[in-house]
């Protein structure tokens, strides 16, 4: 069912500017593994990722698992990738998709294991695409941390109260 | 409608009272409010009623009007409670007051998705200029507008940007929701 002059179903994609806004941490590599482009947020905190620069050792596999090579990427296209920016230590989690002219696009976002990291890397909410659930995950991480802190506080209070009770019992006995 | 509030809110009341008036006054307030919770869990939900009773009892014990308690409570919330619990995320919300306020609606929406039973308020910013905006505050809870005013003042202190907050529409007076005029010195916010 086609209405008016709208596009036919399934025909929509993103213009480069829309794509850049939707994936502010993306980057693209040509077949020689030279950067073609980088999302605005990625380029700001990883200034060595810029068009014309070879990937080299700028990004490596997270956890010291070796260099990022085209062969490794192509062999693992169906998996998610965890990359590490050598200079800053920022981890990027996402996927590669192949696109025109044998270029590879990385679509992903920073990966955090602690809510403090967002500001440690100089990032703010405005650096993330609105659809990106990373900010929500930080909220979950932070609330877990708060819950643990509450538990510790409660345990401390109970221990103190028990000591007081025991002392009071001792006094009653003597 | 029975709804629940973040333990963090009650924790903030506790911290504020203890900081300015001491633990003994807090115990008096808790007793008067009939609240027997030892430690408020940050992300646990408590009936709204607990917060209202604590604020009411604080007003009576300390001899300070409720509105003033809620103002001070909002400031304390921003400058201490939220800083401790969510400092890293608050810094990520913006480097200056206008950016932070712009992010506030999305942030509260994220909170409501992660903690659906807490029903946090909804905010909206309109009429944004270099030195002002209109903050729309949607809440099913009654009487917390002075808390929002305190929060705005606290944010002004946090960003060292003096703010003026004026309520221009009040739900209590029949408006659809509360609207605040928030103004600041554009130079100070840069």
């Amino acid at each position: 069912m086609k209405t008016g002059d709208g596009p036919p179903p399934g025909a929509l994609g993103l213009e480069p500017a829309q794509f850049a806004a939707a994936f502010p941490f993306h980057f693209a590599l040509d077949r020689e593994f030279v950067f073609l482009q980088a999302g605005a947020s990625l380029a700001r905190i990883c200034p060595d990722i810029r068009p014309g620069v070879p990937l080299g050792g700028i990004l490596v596999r997270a956890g010291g698992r070796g260099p990022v090579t085209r062969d490794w990427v192509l062999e693992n296209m169906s998996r998610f990738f965890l990359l590490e920016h050598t200079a800053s230590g920022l981890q990027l989690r996402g996927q590669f998709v192949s696109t025109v002219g044998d270029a590879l696009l990385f679509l992903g976002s920073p990966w955090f294991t602690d809510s403090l990291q967002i500001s440690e890397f100089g990032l703010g909410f405005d650096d993330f695409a609105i659809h990106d659930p990373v900010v929500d995950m930080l909220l979950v991480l932070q609330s877990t941390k708060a819950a643990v802190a509450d538990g510790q506080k409660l345990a401390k209070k109970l221990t103190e109260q028990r000591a007081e009770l025991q002392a009071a019992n001792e006094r009653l006995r003597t | 409608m029975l709804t629940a509030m973040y333990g963090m809110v009650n924790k903030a009341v506790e911290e504020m009272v203890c900081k300015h008036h001491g633990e003994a006054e807090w115990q008096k307030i808790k007793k008067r409010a009939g609240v027997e919770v030892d430690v408020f869990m940050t992300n646990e939900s408590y009936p709204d009623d607990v917060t209202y009773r604590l604020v009411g009892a604080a007003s009576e014990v300390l001899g300070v009007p409720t509105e003033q308690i809620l103002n001070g409570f909002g400031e304390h919330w921003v400058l201490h409670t939220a800083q401790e619990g969510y400092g890293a995320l608050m810094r990520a919300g913006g480097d200056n007051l206008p950016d932070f306020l712009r992010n506030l609606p999305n942030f509260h929406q994220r909170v409501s998705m992660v903690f659906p039973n807490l029903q946090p308020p909804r905010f909206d910013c309109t009429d944004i200029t270099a030195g002002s905006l209109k903050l729309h505050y949607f809440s099913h809870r009654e009487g917390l507008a002075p808390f929002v005013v305190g929060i705005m003042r606290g944010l002004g202190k946090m960003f060292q940007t003096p703010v003026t907050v004026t309520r221009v529409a009040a739900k209590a007076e029949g408006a659809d929701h509360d609207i605040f005029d928030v103004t600041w010195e554009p130079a100070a916010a840069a």
Side-chain angles (χ1 to χ4, degrees):
Chain A
M1 190 173 62
K2 197 164 181 273
T3 52
D5 296 327
L12 283 180
L14 293 176
E15 297 294 326
Q18 297 167 328
F19 176 81
F23 296 99
F25 291 94
H26 86 279
F27 61 81
L29 294 161
D30 69 11
R31 70 170 72 120
E32 308 302 325
F33 244 40
V34 171
F35 288 111
L36 288 168
Q37 63 189 62
S41 302
L42 183 67
R44 188 170 66 73
I45 54 164
C46 306
D48 49 353
I49 299 179
R50 55 180 192 274
V53 174
L55 183 131
I58 290 176
L59 294 169
V60 294
R61 301 185 215 174
R65 303 225 168 99
V68 176
T69 62
R70 188 174 167 86
D71 286 344
W72 173 67
V73 170
L74 291 175
E75 278 162 24
N76 292 285
M77 290 292 274
S78 62
R79 310 195 34 191
F80 74 79
F81 289 82
L82 189 59
L83 310 178
E84 191 168 314
H85 180 240
T86 308
S88 67
L90 182 78
Q91 294 196 332
L92 294 165
R93 175 199 189 276
Q95 71 179 100
F96 278 98
V97 293
S98 54
T99 178
V100 286
D102 287 338
L104 287 168
L105 266 178
F106 176 84
L107 304 178
S109 237
W111 178 247
F112 299 120
T113 50
D114 189 304
S115 55
L116 290 175
Q117 287 173 313
I118 183 169
S119 38
E120 280 170 7
F121 283 109
L123 288 165
F125 296 156
D126 283 340
D127 292 309
F128 293 82
I130 296 168
H131 70 79
D132 193 334
V134 161
V135 173
D136 307 69
M137 203 194 66
L138 292 174
L139 203 57
V140 174
L141 281 171
Q142 184 58 45
S143 63
T144 311
K145 227 163 115 174
V148 171
D150 286 339
Q152 284 167 339
K153 195 174 161 192
L154 193 58
K156 187 169 166 265
K157 204 155 187 162
L158 285 174
T159 311
E160 284 167 3
Q161 282 176 351
R162 208 173 95 171
E164 275 170 33
L165 277 176
Q166 273 176 348
N169 269 337
E170 290 298 322
R171 279 198 301 276
L172 282 175
R173 249 182 246 153
T174 51
Chain B
M1 180 165 53
L2 259 187
T3 59
M5 197 108 69
Y6 247 165
M8 198 167 156
V9 173
N10 299 326
K11 219 162 117 171
V13 180
E14 173 178 359
E15 283 171 6
M16 181 183 75
V17 170
C18 289
K19 190 175 175 214
H20 298 292
H21 307 281
E23 166 87 23
E25 292 295 287
W26 170 244
Q27 292 304 336
K28 258 190 249 170
I29 290 167
K30 244 177 32 166
K31 197 164 174 196
R32 184 165 195 130
V35 173
E36 288 178 351
V37 180
D38 251 349
V39 174
F40 288 110
M41 306 296 251
T42 308
N43 298 313
E44 184 63 87
S45 47
Y46 297 87
D48 282 358
D49 179 48
V50 170
T51 310
Y52 286 117
R53 282 190 344 244
L54 285 174
V55 170
S59 165
E60 286 162 20
V61 170
L62 304 173
V64 177
T66 322
E67 180 170 349
Q68 219 174 311
I69 297 265
L70 285 169
N71 280 170
F73 172 40
E75 275 198 32
H76 184 88
W77 169 268
V78 169
L79 296 171
H80 302 282
T81 316
Q83 285 293 344
E84 279 162 31
Y86 290 85
L89 295 185
M90 285 188 74
R91 281 191 294 283
D95 296 333
N96 54 61
L97 182 75
D99 279 357
F100 192 93
L101 291 178
R102 242 188 337 96
N103 273 316
L104 203 62
N106 274 345
F107 189 73
H108 275 79
Q109 208 181 339
R110 289 180 193 276
V111 171
S112 69
M113 288 188 293
V114 176
F115 303 105
N117 60 329
L118 295 175
Q119 304 188 14
R122 194 159 63 77
F123 289 99
D124 201 2
C125 296
T126 62
D127 306 81
I128 303 173
T129 74
S132 69
L133 56 75
K134 277 193 169 37
L135 182 78
H136 300 254
Y137 163 67
F138 304 85
S139 175
H140 59 80
R141 298 184 174 97
E142 301 296 331
L144 293 182
F147 179 47
V148 177
V149 172
I151 285 180
M152 292 300 123
R153 289 184 189 153
L155 287 173
K157 285 187 183 172
M158 181 173 137
F159 290 110
Q160 292 163 342
T161 305
V163 284
T164 312
V165 187
T166 320
R167 182 152 66 159
V168 291
K171 194 180 167 191
E173 289 159 18
D176 174 66
H177 59 275
D178 288 304
I179 304 174
F180 301 90
D181 253 339
V182 186
T183 59
W184 59 89
E185 215 25 81

